Amino acid sequence: QIQLQQSGPGLVRPSQTLSLTCAISGDSISTYNVAWNWLRQSPSRGLEWLGRAYYRSKWSNDYAVSVKSRITINPDTSKNQVSLQLNSVTPEDTAVYYCAKGEHTAFTIWGQGTMVTVSS
Amino acid sequence: QSALTQPASVSGSPGQSITISCTGTSSDVGSYNLVSWYQQNAGKAPKLIIYEVTNRPSGVSNRFSGSKSGNTASLTISGLQAEDEADYYCCSYAGITTWVFGGGTKLTVL
């Protein structure tokens, strides 16, 4: 049974970097034909896809235009986990952040979610 | 404002059928048979219930079905049950490696 376990701080100061980790169990992060995504959900922005990492002979990334200049999603194959870094955060980045496995161009398995508040 | 338009709320009585619409554009829903639907209970992560417009993941009740016509996708829940009360979100691939979501529909089982 595949499970995604998220971890990371729930409070980030404005202009700092938001960092979250998603540990994958029951599956390999390097599996072909899947992608490891980060999404977020807030009352003001709804559900929003942020980006993904995937392995097709080498690791690649795709990012949403809205965050492309500030986001990095990195796989850690030694720990079978994927991380999210979002730089220069503002209160607009306050949201519940989710990692999710991507298959069939859908998000098949989700992490439990992490509420991140950006505030001084 | 979300990219895909859903009704804010729908309701139905146990045993009835309801349909939730999801309207996009020719750049997303209309261009790709890559619409998915998610069920979200309060305080929980979304759960995939339909992918590629009509397909159900293993373990999802056959009371859930999806369809698409032009720029509008639909989720139908038949034989409504109290446990179906939740928020429902549609999602579509929108090209150039991006996905867009609807604003969500709150389903109330009367």
Side-chain angles (χ1 to χ4, degrees), chain A residues 33 61 74 108:
Chain A
N33 297 321
N61 294 101
N74 277 329
T108 54

Short mmCIF file of all heavy atoms in Angstrom, two decimals, chain A residues 33 61 74 108:
data_model
loop_
_atom_site.label_atom_id
_atom_site.label_comp_id
_atom_site.label_asym_id
_atom_site.label_seq_id
_atom_site.Cartn_x
_atom_site.Cartn_y
_atom_site.Cartn_z
N ASN A 33 6.80 6.26 -15.59
CA ASN A 33 5.39 6.58 -15.87
C ASN A 33 4.64 7.13 -14.67
O ASN A 33 3.41 7.12 -14.67
CB ASN A 33 4.64 5.35 -16.43
CG ASN A 33 5.20 4.91 -17.75
OD1 ASN A 33 5.57 5.73 -18.58
ND2 ASN A 33 5.29 3.60 -17.94
N ASN A 61 11.93 18.16 -14.21
CA ASN A 61 10.93 18.92 -13.46
C ASN A 61 10.03 19.70 -14.40
O ASN A 61 10.44 20.08 -15.50
CB ASN A 61 11.60 19.94 -12.52
CG ASN A 61 12.40 19.31 -11.42
OD1 ASN A 61 13.62 19.22 -11.49
ND2 ASN A 61 11.70 18.85 -10.40
N ASN A 74 12.90 18.55 -5.58
CA ASN A 74 14.05 17.66 -5.72
C ASN A 74 13.75 16.26 -5.22
O ASN A 74 13.18 16.09 -4.13
CB ASN A 74 15.23 18.19 -4.91
CG ASN A 74 16.01 19.26 -5.65
OD1 ASN A 74 16.08 19.25 -6.88
ND2 ASN A 74 16.57 20.20 -4.92
N THR A 108 -3.15 10.35 -8.02
CA THR A 108 -3.77 9.12 -7.54
C THR A 108 -3.65 8.89 -6.04
O THR A 108 -4.56 8.35 -5.42
CB THR A 108 -3.17 7.92 -8.27
OG1 THR A 108 -1.73 7.96 -8.13
CG2 THR A 108 -3.50 7.96 -9.76
#
